[in-house]
Amino acid sequence: MLTREQMLAAPEDDYMNEAQLEFFRSLLDEQAKEVRESLAAARAQLASFENEPDELDKASIEEERRMALRFLDRQTKLLPKIDQAIKRIDRNDFGYCEVTGEEIGIMRLLLRPTATLCAEEKQRQEMKERNFRDS
């Protein structure tokens, strides 16, 4: 199995070769496992909250509950993205921008293995969103 350092040092000609795809599959499988475990822990935490008669304690518990729900929401949305990335590995189109077809890049994929857009396309979309909001 390749290391992160080997991934970064690999020649550009080797982009998304079999070893790199296997590295990312393993990374995504591990992330999916961690997300599932954290979801289970967060659900257990939510179930353990009790109603507190003291107003200050009640407010504190409500804030903790709100944070736990927000975390659950984010993790729940991440899991399908991980599954989709694994399917892209299976289809052999992992690592390529879904809009332009350009390479996403090893560095970007190491930081965000679920990325579907190259950095340039992501910036273009963010600028469009910003311009749309501002108008």
Side-chain angles (χ1 to χ4, degrees), residues 105-127:
I106 297 295
M107 179 66 82
R108 179 163 165 74
L109 289 169
L110 286 171
L111 295 171
R112 184 178 291 275
T114 58
T116 60
L117 302 173
C118 61
E120 295 80 18
E121 183 60 30
K122 184 67 176 167
Q123 287 175 337
R124 276 191 289 272
Q125 287 188 4
E126 287 174 352
M127 284 181 60

Side-chain angles (χ1 to χ4, degrees), residues 95-113:
Y96 295 92
C97 180
E98 64 183 18
V99 173
T100 66
E102 297 174 23
E103 295 177 356
I104 292 175
I106 297 295
M107 179 66 82
R108 179 163 165 74
L109 289 169
L110 286 171
L111 295 171
R112 184 178 291 275

Side-chain angles (χ1 to χ4, degrees), residues 11 16 43 46 48 50 64 72 82 108 112 116 133:
M16 287 306 121
R43 286 184 181 119
L46 275 174
S48 71
E50 296 178 17
E64 287 179 35
L72 269 171
I82 293 172
R108 179 163 165 74
R112 184 178 291 275
T116 60
R133 273 194 313 248

Side-chain angles (χ1 to χ4, degrees), residues 52-102:
E52 187 66 41
D54 180 33
E55 288 299 317
L56 289 176
D57 288 342
K58 193 175 200 176
S60 176
I61 288 172
E62 284 303 315
E63 180 63 18
E64 287 179 35
R65 181 178 287 144
R66 188 184 67 73
M67 296 292 282
L69 285 169
R70 188 170 165 200
F71 175 79
L72 269 171
D73 183 53
R74 293 186 77 171
Q75 295 295 84
T76 302
K77 290 177 181 174
L78 178 58
L79 206 50
K81 290 180 182 182
I82 293 172
D83 292 337
Q84 291 168 358
I86 292 170
K87 287 177 185 173
R88 285 194 305 278
I89 290 173
D90 294 339
R91 289 191 315 257
N92 247 2
D93 61 0
F94 178 82
Y96 295 92
C97 180
E98 64 183 18
V99 173
T100 66
E102 297 174 23

